[in-house]
Amino acid sequence: MLTLRNKFIFAPIKLGYSDASGIVKQKHIDFYVRRSKYIAAVTPEPFFLDECLKEVPTQMGIHDDKMIEGLKRLNLAIHNEGAKTIAHLNHPGRMANPKIPGNYFWSSTNKACENGGAVPEKMDRKKINTVIRLFVNAARRAVASNFDMIELQFGHGYLLAQFLSPAVNDRKDDYGGSFENRIRFPLELARAVRREVDVPIIARISGDEMIEKGFHLDEMIRFSLMLQNTGLDGIHVSAGSVCSTPPWFFQHMFIPKGKTWEMAEAIKKHLNIPVIFVGRINSPEDVHELDKKYHADYLAVGRALVADPDFIGKYLGKLEGNIRPCLACADGCLGGVKSGVGLQCLVNPDVGKDHVDIEKVKEPQKYAVVGGGLAGMEAALILKKRGHEVDLYEKEKLGGQFNLAPLTPGKKSMGVLVPYFVKELEDNKVHVIYKEARDSDLKHDYDGVILASGSKPAALKIPGLSDYHWAEILLEKNLPENKKILIIGGGLVGVDIATALIPRNNKLIIVKRTTDFGEDMELIAKNLSLKMMREKETLFSDHTFITKVEGNTVYARKDEQDIQFQDVDMIVVSAGMKSYVPFEKLGDTPVYIVGDARKVGKAKDAIHEAHDLAMKL
């Protein structure tokens, strides 16, 4: 490895900011420069090696010499900030995106991923040679583009891992079966790239596929030793497979933090080359633990630098300020790339936009913000930072409905966001008034009012339905045990409530008028939540309309048939939210409505909308 100015490396994260050509855009340069000021090295998003091997339609490419000019510009911009650069080279194999026209699919097998995707061609010797040439040519272009290092992807369920994995590789030739055969092609490729370039080469591996029949840590220790003996200069240890264990691949909030650190530690004990630790490193406490307990050589930080580009600078004491926390939710980052809009971030509205610094206004005004949920706090903060005078009205507790978000299983990481906002409000001396704002408070004293009053549960007119709960059931004091509970509404809130009730030995029924339970949820959270519910024998009833409640019996219509749910102890209503707008006009005082008060949406929508409004006022 090169001598780096510190131990922090920006991990490769897909941005999706290019176009079909794969060329470097100014948006890439702006994004990486913003994150290069204090970090030791930057790994841009994985490059595609062939225009028919894309994971994302707008991925950056290194497949042709015409890419070199743009990549040189990217490297120059990062180098000017004092950081080194790492070119991450990956062949997706059967995990190339089947929705992109023209993509082809090769693998160690002719079996498709069990989670979906195209049926691949089983590679022969000619195809193996072709892939080796793709990597060698890409490595040559990386050096010509002035990258300081190269990283080869051997993990995460991509092509080389498809050969390594006994769960995927079903070959009967010299490239399948035994461990020695399964590593043959990956080692051939590593040697070929090592011969081609004289820059340091890092191998990124999954320390464990996290599936029973996949490869595990013992084999990865042996494989890492062989990569070291091949002349590679570092091992970057992650976990999981994009095919079979995506929560581990994405280091989602639903999986335990630190498992990849333990794998890296075990591998490090056997090697004489540096090991890079990765996996939800998103707080100073994490960095301290990796330093003191694991003695990590290098730390690869990904989404924490998306959430706060200055995370490392603040940790190192070079900058002051609170660290904007990454929630490991995948909602903005993964969701943005998958939706085609490119990388975004739930907590950082600047991501994916042309960066505009918060500048002081020439003529400060006085604003009232009504409602201290996410939208209200973001609006108040931006207005204050721009020099306006701000009063934030909140009748109860800052954070609003988002205070309930971390109370469901797997979502504890969301609990850091409200405290961050509260600390920001305190540090920026935003005046918080704990009372319900009345017309008389607002009409005459302010130049404008931002209404961030949120939403309330939609009322259901069902005969006999009088005693029921909403999301407040998530509070510890309200959580029931050993009850038969009917949940009306199967969207995000209904599914979240269900996952919180299951560990208390409650028997659940969840009904929905349509078919897609958890339809509003981020995909990984949705799949894991529904899996948990099915394993605990939750009764799902779609196309179901509740008609009346009599005692412990709930009557309904399902597919034009009358049905009953008997012996129901409790009912929870999560049938959507309705915007709450206490007033729309205040005489001549302008009123701006944001967040759920304007349109019910997700946390990301509320923060981003409030941010954009406050930047304009």
Side-chain angles (χ1 to χ4, degrees), residues 502 506-508 531-538:
I502 284 172
N506 295 296
K507 185 175 182 180
L508 301 184
K531 180 175 181 288
M532 172 188 180
M533 292 165 68
R534 293 188 187 100
E535 289 174 348
K536 297 301 182 180
E537 299 180 347
T538 298

Side-chain angles (χ1 to χ4, degrees), residues 94-106:
R94 66 176 184 169
M95 301 313 299
N97 192 333
K99 295 181 180 179
I100 299 177
N103 267 359
Y104 62 87
F105 313 90
W106 292 355

Side-chain angles (χ1 to χ4, degrees), residues 424-491:
E424 281 282 279
L425 292 170
E426 292 174 354
D427 291 352
N428 286 278
K429 296 181 171 54
V430 174
H431 184 213
V432 181
I433 301 173
Y434 288 97
K435 63 172 286 187
E436 184 173 2
R438 306 287 186 183
D439 291 17
S440 58
D441 298 316
L442 307 171
K443 275 185 177 179
H444 307 295
D445 294 337
Y446 298 100
D447 297 301
V449 174
I450 292 85
L451 194 60
S453 46
S455 58
K456 291 187 175 182
L460 292 183
K461 296 181 179 179
I462 298 173
L465 180 62
S466 58
D467 184 17
Y468 60 90
H469 295 268
W470 178 67
E472 93 291 339
I473 199 171
L474 294 171
L475 297 171
E476 181 70 24
K477 64 181 181 179
N478 296 336
L479 281 172
E481 295 184 3
N482 303 308
K483 301 291 185 183
K484 185 175 183 180
I485 302 172
L486 174 73
I487 301 174
I488 303 175

